[in-house]
């Protein structure tokens, strides 16, 4: 039991050191972690981590990091949250207006929620993203108008 | 004089609660013992979310952006989420109270004092949630510091009462069940 827990801890640390530490901001980490999840089965896929620690431990480690990244975002105040959304959009390298538009219409942020999350927290997160998108769009328009 | 009014209000609320409970559950269901242990798992929504819904810091920040549309969106969204929190809390507390009533029918050593305490808690819960709903519905036009503080204070009281109802589940029935999700 203790061995399993130590192994899981090592897998989480490995995931953080090799991948997550290099990503800018919690939202970028959240997008990365949810992208490792198969949309049909809900299972996480990470070949490198599974090779090093076994598929079950890798699965558990990814789920834990996903939940932690989501929790960290949920407790942020709106100013910091909007900063995270702006940093993520910046990191994509795509045109800001286009990303804002796509996120608003496709609501891709809904797939970022971990499986264990309760409905109200998921709703709160989606609501914060909607407000952030509107705030960034307003700021973008003001910049363009000048 | 005051105490007579409070006792009358309490009795009326408890009668309403009892009448509502009767409407919701069929006689068949009420007459059967609860055998599914998972039903005892309390799933109250996180109370910290209600506090986040009325964050004055967020309102101040969005107001500083100078966009009425974004400020309106924030207030609408936070009011909607707070009402949803209330709805879920009320639904869960009602379910737990009903479950408790069904469970104690089959308990041999019924403790009247404990049952009375729970009944008072349920009445208080119902009253607080109705008052809170009215206050939340007016949030937006009214958002002064004292107003928001009252909402947050009542929210804490309600979460506490909901937690009290959740803890009223007989320990024997709830043993071996995961802890409540709500904080």
């Amino acid at each position: 039991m203790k061995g399993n827990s130590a192994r899981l801890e090592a897998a989480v640390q490995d995931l953080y050191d090799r991948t997550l530490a290099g990503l800018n901001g919690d939202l970028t980490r959240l997008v990365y972690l949810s992208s490792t999840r198969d949309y049909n089965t809900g299972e996480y896929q990470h070949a490198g981590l599974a090779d090093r620690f076994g598929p079950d431990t890798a699965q558990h480690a990814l789920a834990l990091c996903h939940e932690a990244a989501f929790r960290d975002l949920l407790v942020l105040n709106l100013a910091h949250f909007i900063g995270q959304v702006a940093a993520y959009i910046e990191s994509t390298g795509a045109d800001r207006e286009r990303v804002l538009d796509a996120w608003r219409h496709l609501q891709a942020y809904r797939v970022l929620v971990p499986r264990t999350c309760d409905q109200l927290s998921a709703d709160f997160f989606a609501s914060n993203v909607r407000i952030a998108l509107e705030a960034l769009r307003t700021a973008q328009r003001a910049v363009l108008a000048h | 004089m005051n105490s007579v009014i409070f006792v009358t209000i309490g009795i009326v609320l408890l009668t309403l609660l009892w009448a509502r409970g009767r409407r919701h559950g069929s006689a068949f269901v009420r007459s059967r013992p609860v055998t599914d242990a998972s039903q005892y798992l309390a799933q109250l929504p996180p109370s910290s979310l209600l506090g986040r819904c009325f964050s004055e810091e967020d309102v101040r920040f969005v107001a500083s952006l100078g966009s009425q549309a974004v400020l309106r969106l924030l207030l609408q969204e936070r009011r909607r989420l707070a009402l949803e929190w209330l709805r879920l809390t009320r639904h869960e507390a009602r379910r737990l109270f009903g479950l408790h009533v069904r469970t104690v029918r089959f308990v041999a050593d019924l403790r009247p004092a404990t049952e009375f305490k729970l009944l008072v808690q349920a009445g208080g819960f119902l009253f607080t949630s109705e008052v809170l709903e009215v206050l939340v519905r007016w949030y937006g036009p009214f958002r002064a510091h004292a107003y928001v503080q009252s909402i947050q204070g009542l929210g804490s009281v309600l979460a506490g009462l909901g937690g009290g109802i959740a803890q009223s589940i007989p320990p024997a029935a709830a043993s071996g069940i995961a802890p409540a999700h709500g904080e």
Side-chain angles (χ1 to χ4, degrees), chain B residues 140-162:
Chain B
F142 294 102
R143 54 175 194 277
H145 178 70
Y147 190 79
V148 172
Q149 293 283 88
S150 320
I151 293 181
Q152 287 178 338
L154 274 179
S156 301
V157 170
L158 193 68
L161 287 168

Side-chain angles (χ1 to χ4, degrees), chain B residues 39-44 89-103 118 162-163 165-169:
Chain B
Q39 284 190 43
Y40 290 99
L41 180 66
Q43 290 179 320
L44 290 161
T89 303
R90 219 173 342 204
H91 177 269
E92 185 61 7
R94 201 173 285 151
R95 187 188 71 82
L96 288 169
F97 186 76
L99 190 65
H100 174 85
V101 171
R102 278 167 64 197
T103 305
L118 176 65
I165 293 172
Q167 281 172 1
S168 70
I169 302 292

